[in-house]
Amino acid sequence: MLLIECPHCGPRAETEYAGCSEAHIARPESGGLDMTDAEWVEWVFWRKNTKGVYLERWNHAAGCRRWINCMRDTVTNEILATYKAGEKPPKIADAEREYKF
Amino acid sequence: MKNRYSIFSLIRNAFSYHQEWPPAWRSPEPKKSYDAVIVGGGGHGLATAYYLAKNHGMTNIAVLEKGWLGGGNTARNTTIIRSNYLWDESAKLYEHSVKLWEGLSQELNYNVMFSQRGVLNLAHNQHDLRELSRRINANRLNGVDSEFLNPEEVKKFCPAIDLRGGGRYPVLGASLQRRGGTARHDAVAWGYARAADELGVDVIQNCPVLGFESHADGSITINSGKGPIKAGKVGLVVAGHSSVIADMAGFRLPTESRPLQALVSEPMKPCIDTVVMSNAVHAYISQSDKGELVIGAGADAYISYGQKGSGHQTEHTLAAICEMFPQFRRVKMMRQWGGIVDTNPDASPIISKTPVANMFINCGWGTGGFKGTPGSGWTFADLIASGEPDDMNAPFKLDRFKTGYLVDEHGAAAVAH
Ligand SMILES: Cc1cc2nc3c(=O)[nH]c(=O)nc-3n(C[C@H](O)[C@H](O)[C@H](O)COP(=O)(O)OP(=O)(O)OC[C@H]3O[C@@H](n4cnc5c(N)ncnc54)[C@H](O)[C@@H]3O)c2cc1C
Ligand SMILES: [Zn+2]
């Protein structure tokens, strides 16, 4: 189980969180009706599936109920940083590490 | 076939203490070029190669596998086979697959131990019951065998179930597909490998694909761990690593890779002679021929390429199993493991051309692709050979995530396996 540090509440078990998905996916500016199909599907379906350092968001559902962001290595599951929704990801020295296969 | 397996070859080899069986397939060095190369030596990749050779006469082909045959999800899954999917498109594909399973041991001359012991899908509440009835009706309209069992009938069919489910998971009914069941997972990879090898396919292990280079004449050079290999056509079938391989080829997928876990118990005397699945609680159970309970859990919430999942997933599953089968509470679990499953937004596979000329992809089988192995290989071979989609694989094109024409099996049938 992951131990995820909520920036508001401190380290909490993964089971307190819900709704894991890619972070920093902004709803297109144009909003509803005038969105093109391409913009719409991009927002709805297309996600990164990074093997290596990945940015995701979690909802601290059984805690403060706020969305938070998390930088995690998807090979080792090591959590490199967590930060508040709306913030930019912190610079991590070895965030460049990459795994090919 | 050169070395047909039969009762006579078994007796003959007994005289030499089974020391002189020839290898089931060659281990050739890759040639400089092939008409087609399949990347990924899991069940799906090997089946694709076999049907390319068998159905389309393409024998100058190779399968490149980075590790060993069936070291991926092929040999990590809980081997449930069924075709009672909701939508017409899925029913067609999975039912074709079950039909191929029914003759597979004979076809491959390799015992894949396909056992049609039936698959039960339980309903625990009114909503489950309605969904179940809807699915059974859809199955029947598609010619897929599917019947409703009321609680008494469930108990009769599988006496081990406690219908009260500990109060938490009462059994209100179930769907039963009698033609569903299980098979021996390794045997599927080995049987297809042996049969493909027999037809001239080069099956090459320990050969990771590292990159691609497209040429003006439409051919593709594969940069592999064993040097460059030229291919007229390339089929990508790498399950959990689909996004990684697509990245190498320069296109994107909507696929996400997640851990999915399974466990087996200590071996016991026969006590459950069917497959029981509960989609709502992500628990499914059967008993192997060795006597182990084979139990599958739900997929993790997060993306991961480390072949292990979070402990609470298996805990949740075992808790539900203990409610439905109280007699298993004291059974010890022997092994637990994870595999990386490639999940798509609509829980259906992608069997498609790609933005790269002469490159094709088959992925996104997610938590339920073992059952699809023969059908997947069959239809993917059709696609690669002709270069154009047909009735069976066209609904599974990559561009459905642009058009919105999904094959949405999510809430319907493919929640579990
Ligand atoms: C725990 C668990 C339980 C499951 N239960 C069921 C079930 O009950 N019923 C069911 O129908 N399905 C089930 N599944 C799903 C099923 O296992 C998969 O959908 C199916 O096996 C995937 O296809 P495959 O066999 O070809 O994949 P794999 O066996 O994973 O084959 C992919 C191969 O590609 C290779 N590869 C990857 N990258 C490269 C590269 N760069 N170069 C060369 N080779 C590469 C890998 O090494 C691997 O061998 C389960 C899965 C898991 C993990
Ligand atoms: Zn919090």
Side-chain angles (χ1 to χ4, degrees):
Chain A
M1 196 191 303
L2 305 177
L3 182 64
I4 304 168
E5 173 132 0
C6 172
H8 309 285
C9 316
R12 298 298 179 88
E14 182 197 331
T15 43
E16 285 192 15
Y17 295 85
C20 176
S21 61
E22 189 180 343
H24 307 294
I25 304 274
R27 192 184 171 101
E29 286 288 318
S30 58
L33 291 177
D34 43 356
M35 261 167 91
T36 65
D37 284 357
E39 275 180 312
W40 172 247
V41 293
E42 181 67 35
W43 182 60
V44 175
F45 295 126
W46 294 80
R47 296 289 178 270
K48 283 194 194 116
N49 190 19
T50 314
K51 183 171 185 177
V53 177
Y54 175 71
L55 302 176
E56 66 199 3
R57 58 176 199 164
W58 292 84
N59 183 264
H60 193 187
C64 62
R65 301 194 58 78
R66 278 187 271 204
W67 287 94
I68 65 150
N69 294 321
C70 176
M71 181 192 275
R72 185 174 55 88
D73 185 322
T74 61
V75 177
T76 60
N77 282 345
E78 181 190 355
I79 292 176
L80 302 167
T82 52
Y83 51 101
K84 292 178 187 159
E87 288 181 358
K88 288 219 162 60
K91 291 234 163 354
I92 297 283
D94 58 353
E96 288 300 298
R97 57 180 151 171
E98 253 188 58
Y99 301 84
K100 269 304 175 210
F101 56 84
Chain B
M1 278 197 191
K2 288 184 290 210
N3 333 292
R4 261 195 89 77
Y5 293 156
S6 68
I7 181 78
F8 304 110
S9 67
L10 204 61
I11 295 169
R12 202 164 46 247
N13 278 278
F15 290 114
S16 49
Y17 302 98
H18 297 294
Q19 303 279 314
E20 273 155 35
W21 285 101
W25 55 82
R26 300 162 294 134
S27 294
E29 282 306 306
K31 292 190 229 164
K32 292 238 150 20
S33 89
Y34 290 97
D35 295 340
V37 168
I38 304 301
V39 183
H44 288 230
L46 293 162
T48 305
Y50 172 72
Y51 292 117
L52 271 175
K54 175 85 193 301
N55 295 354
H56 302 281
M58 290 181 70
T59 50
N60 181 31
I61 63 177
V63 178
L64 307 183
E65 164 55 46
K66 78 173 171 192
W68 65 95
L69 297 188
N73 293 342
T74 301
R76 290 166 189 269
N77 79 92
T78 49
T79 77
I80 301 172
I81 295 168
R82 59 185 179 88
S83 59
N84 53 357
Y85 282 66
L86 180 69
W87 300 108
D88 298 353
E89 295 86 348
S90 323
K92 185 166 183 179
L93 179 59
Y94 288 99
E95 177 59 16
H96 181 60
S97 203
V98 167
K99 291 207 172 104
L100 291 172
W101 277 111
E102 286 174 330
L104 199 59
S105 293
Q106 286 74 17
E107 162 95 22
L108 300 179
N109 180 230
Y110 203 102
N111 189 359
V112 300
M113 298 166 85
F114 180 43
S115 155
Q116 292 178 296
R117 55 184 70 184
V119 175
L120 280 177
N121 290 75
L122 305 181
H124 299 297
N125 54 43
Q126 287 302 325
H127 176 76
D128 283 359
L129 268 184
R130 286 188 196 116
E131 283 292 327
L132 202 94
S133 313
R134 177 186 182 212
R135 183 166 50 72
I136 291 172
N137 288 328
N139 295 157
R140 295 185 144 197
L141 286 171
N142 277 317
V144 174
D145 77 298
S146 192
E147 57 197 272
F148 179 76
L149 301 191
N150 65 31
E152 291 71 45
E153 290 164 334
V154 172
K155 184 77 184 168
K156 214 165 152 205
F157 188 75
C158 181
I161 295 187
D162 176 4
L163 293 178
R164 290 162 306 165
R168 268 178 90 187
Y169 305 113
V171 177
L172 303 188
S175 73
L176 170 63
Q177 183 175 21
R178 291 186 193 269
R179 286 162 63 243
T182 58
R184 167 87 201 275
H185 45 29
D186 297 316
V188 175
W190 299 336
Y192 272 119
R194 173 169 169 272
D197 175 88
E198 186 75 44
L199 294 172
V201 176
D202 284 355
V203 178
I204 301 164
Q205 305 183 65
N206 297 312
C207 184
V209 167
L210 309 166
F212 303 96
E213 203 185 316
S214 290
H215 305 292
D217 66 354
S219 67
I220 297 170
T221 297
I222 299 169
N223 176 8
S224 86
K226 299 196 183 217
I229 300 170
K230 213 162 168 184
K233 292 177 176 185
V234 175
L236 309 174
V237 209
V238 296
H241 275 73
S242 295
S243 303
V244 178
I245 207 105
D247 197 40
M248 289 179 199
F251 66 94
R252 292 163 68 206
L253 293 171
T255 311
E256 292 186 314
S257 298
R258 301 171 197 284
L260 183 71
Q261 300 173 74
L263 329 84
V264 294
S265 73
E266 55 191 334
M268 300 186 297
K269 292 208 169 146
C271 54
I272 169 167
D273 64 356
T274 183
V275 180
V276 181
M277 311 179 53
S278 169
N279 289 10
V281 288
H282 285 291
Y284 37 104
I285 184 166
S286 65
Q287 192 174 19
S288 74
D289 295 341
K290 282 185 284 181
E292 304 148 328
L293 296 177
V294 180
I295 295 172
D300 277 288
Y302 50 80
I303 286 172
S304 179
Y305 289 85
Q307 287 170 315
K308 52 177 183 268
S310 287
H312 64 90
Q313 294 289 353
T314 46
E315 186 184 344
H316 174 75
T317 295
L318 291 177
I321 297 276
C322 289
E323 301 288 358
M324 292 185 286
F325 301 91
Q327 70 275 36
F328 293 157
R329 284 179 187 217
R330 290 166 61 195
V331 175
K332 293 189 186 72
M333 290 297 140
M334 223 169 40
R335 296 191 304 277
Q336 172 271 342
W337 64 89
I340 300 305
V341 294
D342 39 332
T343 53
N344 280 338
D346 61 354
S348 287
I350 292 168
I351 307 170
S352 182
K353 299 210 258 189
T354 70
V356 181
N358 293 319
M359 187 178 279
F360 305 86
I361 189 153
N362 183 353
C363 73
W365 288 84
T367 58
F370 178 70
K371 66 178 71 65
T373 305
S376 158
W378 178 289
T379 193
F380 196 41
D382 286 352
L383 176 65
I384 294 174
S386 73
E388 290 302 326
D390 65 12
D391 282 358
M392 192 173 304
N393 56 50
F396 301 99
K397 281 194 286 204
L398 179 54
D399 78 358
R400 73 178 185 273
F401 299 103
K402 298 221 154 71
T403 62
Y405 200 104
L406 305 183
V407 186
D408 194 0
E409 284 290 346
H410 249 305
V415 190
H417 318 278

